[in-house]
Amino acid sequence: MNIQYSEDQILKSKEISKKNMDIKGPVDFELCGEKFVILPQVFSPLLFPSAKIYYPNFPYKVEDRFLEIGCGAGYGSVLAIKNGAKHVVATDINPAAIENTKLNARLHNVEDKIEVIESDLFENVNGKYSTIYWNHPFITAPEDFKFDNVVERAIFDPGYKLLSKFISEAGGYLSPGGRVLVGLADVGGLEYFRQLAKQYGFIEREILREKG
């Protein structure tokens, strides 16, 4: 499938990523009535709206094992514990995000329930999970796109290669009856995602749509 991308969207997203990288100190952030700290060089929910779209409407449930790919500052993993998950594995490719997630886990006294792993998608992940969640870096770009900073890795998926790899491997880490939740934007790759889901045997269902 020919995946479309927007040069204007890429430029705008790059400008926001630069603002993100210019943040020099820890910043307080409130989400779902809980307080978190966002460290420098971590994808900031103050600049990107996805956190306040997804998490107040997230379909949490009581479950044994929850995996978050691309945990960022870790608020999603903390909220999963507070809403019924018994154990969470949180992963990110960004070392600053790993430290940020550990910090927020300590601040909420759930560090014994959240295992934080530096990993590129499933690279260092073991075991099976009842929920696998990824807030996908949904801005597509040409396959030869070059990242200018670490935050851009949470924004761009060149050629949607990451999405393809994620969907192709997720089933191997899913418990029987488990679910895969993916945060996406309809900016060029939604139909591609649906094709991938069908190709790898998933039943795709939209559970939340934000217009704007």
Side-chain angles (χ1 to χ4, degrees):
M1 179 178 179
N2 182 27
I3 300 172
Q4 302 298 314
Y5 60 88
S6 164
E7 290 288 355
D8 184 59
Q9 184 70 63
I10 291 171
L11 290 174
K12 288 179 180 178
S13 298
K14 276 185 163 292
E15 286 302 314
I16 298 174
S17 78
K18 290 176 183 177
K19 291 180 181 178
N20 199 144
M21 291 297 293
D22 286 340
I23 298 172
K24 301 303 181 185
V27 178
D28 294 332
F29 174 66
E30 186 169 325
L31 182 64
C32 299
E34 303 285 355
K35 293 183 179 180
F36 299 93
V37 174
I38 313 299
L39 297 181
Q41 298 189 23
V42 175
F43 182 84
S44 175
L46 297 170
L47 295 174
F48 300 93
S50 57
K52 291 196 173 182
I53 295 172
Y54 295 151
Y55 295 105
N57 301 285
F58 199 93
Y60 296 109
K61 65 177 184 176
V62 176
E63 56 187 323
D64 289 331
R65 290 173 61 81
F66 180 104
L67 171 64
E68 181 176 17
I69 300 292
C71 57
Y75 38 81
S77 292
V78 170
L79 289 171
I81 291 292
K82 288 178 174 284
N83 286 276
K86 297 177 182 178
H87 180 77
V88 168
V89 173
T91 78
D92 206 289
I93 197 172
N94 180 358
I98 296 300
E99 292 308 311
N100 204 158
T101 298
K102 290 178 179 178
L103 170 62
N104 280 317
R106 290 194 301 270
L107 290 175
H108 288 269
N109 298 310
V110 294
E111 65 268 31
D112 59 328
K113 297 180 179 179
I114 299 179
E115 180 183 358
V116 189
I117 300 172
E118 187 173 337
S119 180
D120 185 359
L121 296 180
F122 297 102
E123 184 177 56
N124 297 320
V125 173
N126 296 302
K128 303 278 187 177
Y129 301 86
S130 48
T131 295
I132 299 173
Y133 169 63
W134 186 28
N135 181 9
H136 170 250
F138 48 72
I139 303 299
T140 191
E143 290 190 15
D144 60 355
F145 177 87
K146 303 299 182 184
F147 295 103
D148 289 334
N149 58 61
V150 69
V151 170
E152 286 190 357
R153 293 187 176 275
I155 302 172
F156 297 104
D157 183 357
Y160 271 13
K161 288 184 177 180
L162 291 175
L163 182 62
S164 180
K165 184 175 176 62
F166 173 85
I167 296 298
S168 70
E169 295 180 357
Y173 296 87
L174 202 61
S175 299
R179 58 185 183 162
V180 177
L181 303 175
V182 183
L184 289 167
D186 192 1
V187 290
L190 185 56
E191 287 305 316
Y192 180 59
F193 166 77
R194 286 173 170 155
Q195 288 188 17
L196 285 171
K198 183 177 181 180
Q199 177 183 345
Y200 289 99
F202 290 102
I203 299 172
E204 181 260 332
R205 181 168 64 93
E206 186 176 296
I207 58 176
L208 172 68
R209 177 178 288 264
E210 178 80 8
K211 295 182 179 180

